[in-house]
Amino acid sequence: MAEEKMRQEQDVNQLIKVRREKLANLQAEGNDPFVITKYDVSHHSQDIKDNFEALEGQDVTVAGRMMQKRVMGKASFCNIQDLKGNIQSYVARDEIGVEEYKAFKKMDIGDIIGIEGRVFKTKTGEISIHATKIVLLSKSLQILPEKFHGLTNTDMRYRQRYVDLIMNQEVKDTFIKRSKIISAIRKYLDGQGFMEVETPMLVSNAGGAAARPFETHFNALDEDLKLRISLELYLKRLIVGGLERVYEIGRVFRNEGLDTRHNPEFTLMELYQAYTDYHGMMDLTENLYRYVAQEVLGTTKIVYNGIEMDLGKPFERITMVDAVKKYSGVDFNEINTLEEARAVAKEHHVEFEERHSKGEILNLFFEEFVEDHLLQPTFVMDHPIEISPLTKKKPENPDYVERFEFFMNGWEMANAYSELNDPIDQRERFKAQEEQLAQGNEEANTTDEDFLNALEIGMPPTGGIGFGIDRMCMLLTDSAAIRDVLLFPTMKSLDK
């Protein structure tokens, strides 16, 4: 096995050497492809196929990467791949000239070429271009894998995404679809009167979520800073400032582990709307998801990993207490003390720490017994106050807050609140978070005095929500892992 691998590496190295020699010869002859600065493209491959009747017999220019070549004496065929697909070209010596045909025969798979010629259909019915001129636009000095999709080393696909995109059309389709998803989100929100904004990534206080931040040092001011873990606190400042509907789509950073649904930097969207509450956010979420699915996929029914989810039906709405009761049989409405909560946790083999409150134990039950069952679109409402430091209390039951998490496929897809706008209450919540931090909870928030000052200026009743864009893209593209929807996912250095 080792000998075979060594032989293959030697063969590849020899081929690479030949390519470099070809480039050197071209440069010596004054035909360096790298000095070409532009090439006028009239059509993409799929455009020609879609409009064949109008274009038949017409001259076109296309450009792309040569993926196949069959030389047959005085005539040859090649296939080039561009943004929208691929198209065949018929290349005849008598048409392009003797010297040009010799140059074409020396071109390699992977080279980027421009083709000028007439649109026609071969005897077998394949729409093609009868080349009248071929230009080498860039020389490929590496060897493309023969069957990249079949590699068991998916790690290399993520590290060399540029090769993955060349060899796998479905990968390219996924990222084109991701772009359309984000575009559709913007289109919907802009139509609802929301304003897109940008807020700082480097912050002195990384609040707004339960997560451990990355830390860095700003030399110019000799200050330690953090990369943001959420978008929340700055967007709320804008609500205070009178921008009644704002949203941001941007990268956030959390110093946590890697798995199929987590990457340390990921795309989050948060939006805030004055004069509404978490029920308004539920309506917005339902309408947004339906709109995006219809716009991008042409249907409100999506299939992920063989499971059909219908976004066209009303989304289920259930409280966290009722969900835990439904799937575990434990009714937290009947549990009045921390001791009772600990006892029922031990009885149901739910692990907890001494610092955990009754509300936190309820959340542990939810994670243990409920999440995996929430396959269809579901809003889980009314969380315990202890795990919701930025949320308004329920007036009729102050142990719980006006919050929901949106679930599909057993995943949390969004998190929303009736936002806390009482600065005195908010200060007390920050104080409780500081105590948790002192007890060893590295994900607890710290007090943000400027944010408290903004609340004291006065923030109207506000609904807010955060969407995980990457998970949304996973569901709408039927992608198994978050790395499949991140163009360049975080990878361990090969030097380590």
Side-chain angles (χ1 to χ4, degrees), residues 189-448:
L189 292 176
D190 293 347
Q192 297 296 310
F194 281 85
M195 173 180 169
E196 185 173 9
V197 298
E198 292 176 303
T199 61
M201 290 190 184
L202 282 172
V203 296
S204 57
N205 190 335
R212 186 166 58 185
F214 287 94
E215 299 181 1
T216 188
H217 186 77
F218 182 26
N219 292 333
L221 295 180
D222 192 23
E223 285 186 2
D224 290 333
L225 294 174
K226 299 177 178 69
L227 289 171
R228 67 185 181 187
I229 59 173
S230 87
L231 314 172
E232 179 166 349
L233 300 185
Y234 280 99
L235 291 177
K236 284 182 177 178
R237 287 168 166 89
L238 299 180
I239 294 290
V240 170
L243 303 181
E244 294 180 0
R245 298 187 182 203
V246 293
Y247 75 96
E248 181 173 7
I249 299 173
R251 282 290 172 107
V252 297
F253 310 86
R254 298 183 181 180
N255 200 350
E256 298 169 346
L258 293 162
D259 61 30
T260 56
R261 283 184 281 160
H262 294 89
N263 195 72
E265 57 173 313
F266 61 97
T267 303
L268 185 65
M269 182 187 77
E270 292 195 31
L271 65 86
Y272 293 85
Q273 179 180 341
Y275 311 114
T276 191
D277 62 3
Y278 73 143
H279 292 291
M281 292 295 102
M282 285 185 225
D283 294 340
L284 184 147
T285 301
E286 206 162 326
N287 292 333
L288 174 65
Y289 260 77
R290 282 195 194 115
Y291 176 86
V292 172
Q294 189 66 50
E295 189 86 355
V296 177
L297 305 178
T299 177
T300 56
K301 289 183 178 178
I302 66 172
V303 177
Y304 184 84
N305 197 25
I307 299 170
E308 183 175 284
M309 289 164 259
D310 192 349
L311 297 168
K313 295 179 180 178
F315 296 3
E316 182 182 358
R317 304 185 182 195
I318 187 171
T319 67
M320 181 179 279
V321 169
D322 286 345
V324 167
K325 182 180 178 181
K326 179 178 179 180
Y327 291 106
S328 76
V330 176
D331 186 354
F332 270 76
N333 283 330
E334 296 179 357
I335 294 173
N336 299 310
T337 67
L338 176 57
E339 288 70 28
E340 290 173 357
R342 287 173 173 172
V344 77
K346 289 175 182 175
E347 184 183 332
H348 286 78
H349 308 291
V350 174
E351 294 184 7
F352 62 91
E353 297 176 22
E354 284 300 308
R355 64 182 174 85
H356 284 146
S357 64
K358 173 192 162 188
E360 287 169 317
I361 291 173
L362 166 62
N363 189 53
L364 292 173
F365 265 81
F366 175 77
E367 291 173 351
E368 181 72 27
F369 292 104
V370 182
E371 285 190 5
D372 291 345
H373 294 282
L374 304 178
L375 300 179
Q376 295 302 317
T378 304
F379 294 118
V380 177
M381 309 180 296
D382 303 349
H383 293 52
I385 191 170
E386 297 93 331
I387 62 168
S388 311
L390 298 164
T391 318
K392 273 195 174 185
K393 297 173 185 175
K394 291 183 70 64
E396 71 279 10
N397 191 350
D399 288 341
Y400 296 89
V401 296
E402 294 191 351
R403 171 185 175 186
F404 74 79
E405 290 175 294
F406 174 49
F407 282 84
M408 286 178 66
N409 191 51
W411 302 348
E412 179 201 336
M413 304 298 295
N415 186 22
Y417 311 150
S418 295
E419 301 296 338
L420 179 60
N421 61 344
D422 177 347
I424 297 170
D425 188 358
Q426 182 64 80
R427 183 174 290 280
E428 289 302 311
R429 306 273 193 99
F430 275 142
K431 184 179 178 182
Q433 287 283 298
E434 295 272 12
E435 289 171 359
Q436 286 194 29
L437 192 66
Q439 292 171 14
N441 182 0
E442 294 181 336
E443 296 183 346
N445 285 198
T446 55
T447 303
D448 187 328

